[in-house]
Amino acid sequence: MARISVVIPAYNEERLLPRLLDDIAAARARHRAGADRVEIIVADNGSTDATIALAESRGCTVARVEPRIIAAVRNGGAAAARGELLVFVDADTRLHPETFNAIDDYFADGTRVVGVSGALPERRALGIDLAWMVMGALSVLMRYGVPRTRADCAPTGVVCCRHADWLAVGKYSETWRFAEDLWFLLALRRLGRRRGQGGGWLKGAPATFSTRKFDLHGDWHYLTVPLKLVTGMIFYRAGMERLVDRYWYGNQRETEEK
């Protein structure tokens, strides 16, 4: 019986999904509780490439989710999960081979409500480094503590919680078309405060953060896109919606292949 359910939201991910599945296989092989204690769920959001066939050929459970809302895709994958612990990871992320052992250790004493692995970008540049500094400040504001390492600057990578707590906070909010992961972390932290439980980083298992959006939108876009979103919310709602469509729901996969 699975204890850990890995949920991978996917839309046309045939190019990068194989390397993540290879990483998961390596981490399962090193899992002290046994590889069979980890299940993999690919939540497919209407892929038109070989994503589904690839996932099925690698033994993954495929949950097909129709709404083009990232939060709904995460929720659709979690709804198919059988494990006590949910692990959310994007298809373009790389996993550390000690990830599942780190998750088991993190939740062992019952004092934690949510954990993140932290992540390091797969390449460095000035704009990316500054984005990491901003995310480090965000981590402090979210009360994850002062980052111990550069990987800890980013409250991202692998996000893990108990299946019951995902339900308790109302799952990922599907009213948000973006930043759903941020609001989910905040909701879990609020739940934890009521129980006297904390949140923080897994130890010794940083993920690798894909820079494909930096490659596509520029190394400085993490600093400019939030400003455009805030401006759009205040002055030009239609423009903000177009930005969301282009940045989070556009033809990024097709563009990458050209």
Side-chain angles (χ1 to χ4, degrees), residues 9-11 43-47 63-70 73 249:
Y11 171 69
D44 184 75
N45 198 204
S47 294
R64 304 193 187 204
V65 186
E66 292 185 4
R68 286 287 286 142
I69 301 172
I70 298 172
V73 184
Y249 297 94

Side-chain angles (χ1 to χ4, degrees), residues 96 102-103 105-106 112 114-120 132-133 135-140 143-156 158 160 199-207:
H96 192 281
I103 290 171
D105 292 343
Y106 184 81
R112 303 289 188 173
V114 60
V116 292
S117 66
L120 290 170
W132 241 245
M133 292 175 62
M135 285 193 279
L138 180 62
S139 296
V140 174
R143 298 186 180 180
Y144 270 76
V146 177
R148 303 163 301 175
T149 68
R150 186 164 169 263
D152 290 347
C153 284
T156 184
V158 169
C160 47
W201 289 283
L202 307 180
K203 290 184 178 179

Side-chain angles (χ1 to χ4, degrees), residues 71-239:
V73 184
R74 299 189 194 280
N75 288 335
R82 298 171 297 169
E84 174 192 353
L85 299 175
L86 296 176
V87 176
F88 297 95
V89 58
D90 291 340
D92 58 353
T93 303
R94 303 297 306 270
L95 253 61
H96 192 281
E98 288 295 326
T99 295
F100 301 131
N101 289 327
I103 290 171
D104 278 343
D105 292 343
Y106 184 81
F107 286 103
D109 64 3
T111 63
R112 303 289 188 173
V113 67
V114 60
V116 292
S117 66
L120 290 170
E122 59 187 359
R123 70 175 176 85
R124 296 193 66 172
L126 180 58
I128 297 174
D129 287 346
L130 288 175
W132 241 245
M133 292 175 62
V134 170
M135 285 193 279
L138 180 62
S139 296
V140 174
L141 291 174
M142 292 176 66
R143 298 186 180 180
Y144 270 76
V146 177
R148 303 163 301 175
T149 68
R150 186 164 169 263
D152 290 347
C153 284
T156 184
V158 169
V159 174
C160 47
C161 67
R162 293 176 183 84
H163 192 283
D165 290 341
W166 166 73
L167 291 170
V169 298
K171 311 175 184 180
Y172 281 88
S173 174
E174 296 180 18
T175 60
W176 289 92
R177 298 182 64 214
F178 64 94
E180 78 295 334
D181 46 353
L182 173 61
W183 300 120
F184 183 63
L185 288 174
L186 290 172
L188 285 167
R189 289 305 303 270
R190 288 194 296 270
L191 176 66
R193 283 197 295 273
R194 294 197 296 269
R195 296 175 174 172
Q197 294 175 315
W201 289 283
L202 307 180
K203 290 184 178 179
T208 300
F209 183 87
S210 170
T211 57
R212 67 176 173 185
K213 280 190 179 289
F214 290 92
D215 300 337
L216 187 61
H217 299 286
D219 288 347
W220 296 88
H221 84 275
Y222 249 48
L223 304 179
T224 59
V225 166
L227 294 176
K228 292 178 181 179
L229 287 171
V230 171
T231 301
M233 288 179 182
I234 298 173
F235 299 109
Y236 188 38
R237 187 80 182 188

